[in-house]
């Protein structure tokens, strides 16, 4: 326990739970004592201004908390994000770029259209035929779509295969389980609800078409070795063994989100690596679900630079004053998606709770991909990735570990 007059980790947990009373869904997961949550629920209704002041007070207490530097750095980053969220909730004007910096410890810049054009050229070479590139790309994606009635079956097959690899490579608690359910009317494609005690419920949005070559990334992201695996290992290591109370609550729009989403988006790289396309094609081929794994892997690599387009859209919308139609057209042009898909992305970018969250996928993946690639000579990818699963790393810490330049 902290040695100061205030138990900062405990008060941080209480503060995070209070945010969930103002915005349902702000607490992504809570695995701590039910008593603490019940006490918070019985308090007078919180106000944004009150939560802002509490976050600031805890930030002032950190230096005297007696926490080791890594724990203090983690909690400081989280509290900085919460303080900004409280200001946003109270109606204070907060610029979008400042909001992102406060939440996620990164600075945004717009992507380079020249990079997007080069990606288009690479895709054009991989998808020969008549018609424009967007039309051919859409046709390719349609050919890869999983029949909706087979979605659950495909997900379970990939989950089982990935679970076996992750168990062997990273280790999992014996009791861990994931159950999948299909949902509709959500602004995301998949979502992990971690329930504690090594259990997750993963919801998959059936409103969006799911491609066979995309499903291994979805399952790796949500379950093995992504969100579920990280939650399990941190619950066992940081919470149960080390007693770090701050890791019993997972809060939206904080630095831990950028770390978690970047980690999860690296899931296929960390569990399968090169050759993931043919690997996934073999797993799904056993179900009679067929796609060209070699081509899928090459197309995914070619399209990777287009990942930034979604973040550009958020900057244009919230920082540059572009209207919704302009942003939809931008997404369509560079991401090579339909107007319907672009508007689905816009729904996520305009959601009050999620509007800045796209950065966790774009900057999170970019930062952690560079960090994995910069591992010491002779260190295995799995050993490096294990640090992400087990340690309370922050974007600031990871950035500081990158080579200069």
């Amino acid at each position: 326990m902290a040695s100061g007059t205030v138990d900062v980790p405990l008060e941080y947990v209480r503060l995070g739970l209070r945010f969930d009373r103002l915005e349902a869904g702000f607490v992504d997961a809570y695995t701590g004592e039910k008593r603490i949550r019940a006490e918070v629920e019985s308090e007078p209704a919180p106000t944004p201004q009150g939560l802002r002041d509490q976050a600031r007070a805890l930030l002032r207490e950190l230096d005297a908390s007696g926490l080791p530097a890594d724990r203090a750095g983690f909690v400081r980053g989280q509290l900085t994000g919460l303080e900004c969220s409280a200001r946003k909730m109270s109606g204070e004007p907060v610029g979008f770029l400042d909001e992102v910096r406060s939440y996620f410890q990164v600075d945004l810049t717009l992507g380079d259209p020249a990079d997007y054009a080069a990606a288009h050229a690479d895709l054009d070479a991989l998808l020969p035929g008549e018609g424009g590139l967007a039309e051919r790309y859409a046709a390719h994606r349609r050919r890869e779509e999983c029949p909706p009635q087979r979605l659950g079956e495909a997900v379970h097959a990939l989950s089982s295969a990935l679970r076996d690899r992750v168990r062997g490579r990273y280790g999992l608690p014996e009791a861990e389980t994931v159950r999948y359910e299909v949902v509709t009317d959500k602004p995301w494609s998949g979502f992990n609800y971690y329930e504690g005690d090594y259990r997750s419920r993963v919801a998959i949005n059936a409103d969006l078409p799911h491609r066979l070559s995309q499903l291994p990334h979805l399952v790796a992201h949500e379950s093995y070795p992504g969100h579920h695996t990280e939650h399990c290992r941190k619950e066992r290591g940081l919470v149960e063994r080390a007693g770090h109370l701050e890791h019993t609550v997972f809060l939206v729009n904080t630095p831990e989100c950028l770390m978690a989403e970047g980690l999860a988006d690296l899931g296929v790289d960390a569990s399968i690596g090169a050759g993931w396309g043919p690997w996934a094609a073999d797993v799904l081929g056993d179900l009679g679900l067929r796609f060209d794994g070699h081509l899928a892997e090459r197309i995914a690599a070619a399209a990777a630079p287009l990942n930034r387009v979604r973040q550009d859209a958020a900057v244009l919308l919230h920082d540059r004053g572009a209207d919704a139609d302009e942003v939809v057209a931008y997404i369509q042009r560079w991401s090579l998606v339909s107007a319907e898909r672009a508007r689905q992305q816009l729904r996520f970018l305009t959601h009050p709770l999620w509007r800045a969250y796209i950065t966790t996928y774009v900057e999170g993946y970019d930062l952690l991909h560079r960090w994995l690639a910069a591992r010491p000579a002779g260190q295995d990818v799995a050993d490096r990735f294990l640090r992400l699963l087990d340690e309370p790393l922050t974007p600031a810490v990871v950035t500081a570990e990158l080579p200069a330049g």
Side-chain angles (χ1 to χ4, degrees), residues 25 28 187-188 191 252-253 348-349 351-358:
D28 182 83
W188 33 256
F191 204 100
V252 169
N253 292 334
F348 190 74
L349 298 177
H351 191 285
L353 185 60
W354 300 111
R355 76 172 204 157
Y357 203 82
I358 200 68

Side-chain angles (χ1 to χ4, degrees), residues 198-384:
Y198 314 136
R199 299 189 317 269
S200 284
R201 173 172 58 91
V202 171
I204 298 175
N205 185 4
D207 286 343
L208 301 175
H210 290 277
R211 292 176 291 117
L212 295 172
S213 68
Q214 171 248 342
L215 285 177
H217 295 276
L218 179 64
V219 175
H221 183 106
E222 304 297 347
S223 302
Y224 306 107
H227 294 323
H228 171 71
T229 302
E230 181 191 9
H231 279 306
C232 285
R233 290 191 62 94
K234 284 194 165 91
E235 182 176 0
R236 183 173 64 180
L238 292 177
V239 177
E240 294 181 1
R241 293 176 180 169
H244 293 184
L245 197 65
E246 62 270 24
H247 293 284
T248 60
V249 67
F250 190 94
L251 303 170
V252 169
N253 292 334
T254 59
E256 69 182 343
C257 295
L258 185 134
M259 295 297 298
E261 300 298 356
L263 175 163
D265 270 352
L266 283 164
V268 166
D269 291 346
S271 56
I272 310 296
W276 67 261
W279 175 88
D282 284 345
V283 172
L284 294 176
D286 289 343
L287 305 178
L289 297 169
R290 309 207 180 277
F291 71 101
D292 185 334
H294 292 284
L295 179 62
E297 191 165 346
R298 293 171 69 193
I299 286 177
L306 305 182
N307 187 41
R308 285 196 160 269
V309 173
R310 302 173 296 167
Q311 181 169 271
D312 288 354
V315 174
L316 292 170
L317 189 67
H318 300 306
D319 184 65
R320 304 294 175 89
D323 64 30
D325 289 341
E326 290 177 87
V327 173
V328 166
Y330 184 91
I331 295 171
Q332 275 189 268
R333 177 186 180 188
W334 291 120
S335 289
L336 301 171
V337 297
S338 67
E340 180 185 19
R341 185 77 182 212
R343 291 198 178 278
Q344 173 76 6
Q345 290 186 22
L346 188 69
R347 182 183 173 196
F348 190 74
L349 298 177
T350 53
H351 191 285
L353 185 60
W354 300 111
R355 76 172 204 157
Y357 203 82
I358 200 68
T359 290
T360 64
Y361 302 109
V362 177
E363 301 295 342
Y365 175 82
D366 182 65
L367 174 63
L368 298 190
H369 184 269
R370 286 186 286 125
W371 181 80
L372 271 187
R375 63 188 178 277
Q379 185 180 44
D380 184 68
V381 169
D383 291 337
R384 183 79 152 177

